[in-house]
Amino acid sequence: GLVCIRMPAVIGSRREGSKGRVVVERGGGNTEPEDVMLKRLRLRSWRRGTKEMDLILGAFADSELAALTVEERRDYDALLSENDHDLYGWFTWASPAPLRWQSLLARIRAFHRLD
């Protein structure tokens, strides 16, 4: 049968879809199978505009992405929409990171031991 975990729409939710695949519901009623979402996020992490960000985000995605909560994955997805030069500045403390990203950036920095 279909199992649905109810969570606020802002956070998203997971449910079992056809063929036993876990489906992640994103805001606005969009759904994406969890395995497809993980592949998409890994690809976007490794295919950045700069090699530095490929290495920072790609390695993190390969190792830590599956352990992130639905909300953290949604935030990571949004973070990937940021400009690579801005991201690099935030990771290297060359420019202040927006408050929205500080927790996630700290987690990625800790993964790379950049703290």
Side-chain angles (χ1 to χ4, degrees):
L2 184 64
V3 177
C4 185
I5 300 171
R6 296 277 181 211
M7 299 174 89
V10 178
I11 295 174
S13 62
R14 296 164 49 116
R15 66 179 169 83
E16 189 175 321
S18 63
K19 300 180 185 175
R21 294 173 95 179
V22 174
V23 177
V24 177
E25 294 180 4
R26 300 188 296 170
N30 297 329
T31 60
E32 180 177 38
E34 186 175 39
D35 59 330
V36 172
M37 180 193 58
L38 290 172
K39 288 177 187 178
R40 179 179 58 77
L41 292 176
R42 280 192 188 104
L43 179 68
R44 289 187 64 207
S45 298
W46 279 109
R47 305 273 195 257
R48 305 295 306 169
T50 64
K51 192 60 168 176
E52 294 84 358
M53 292 313 304
D54 288 351
L55 296 171
I56 291 170
L57 295 175
F60 175 80
D62 283 350
S63 178
E64 303 295 315
L65 203 55
L68 298 180
T69 65
V70 172
E71 181 180 1
E72 289 170 329
R73 287 182 196 162
R74 192 189 80 245
D75 289 345
Y76 185 77
D77 193 6
L79 180 72
L80 293 178
S81 297
E82 295 286 349
N83 178 287
D84 274 1
H85 295 288
D86 292 338
L87 284 170
Y88 189 73
W90 300 337
F91 277 110
T92 60
W93 294 280
S95 59
L99 290 175
R100 174 183 183 190
W101 302 128
Q102 289 185 0
S103 174
L104 185 54
L105 292 172
R107 184 170 181 165
I108 298 169
R109 279 188 198 115
F111 170 78
H112 288 288
R113 297 184 179 112
L114 297 174
D115 288 335

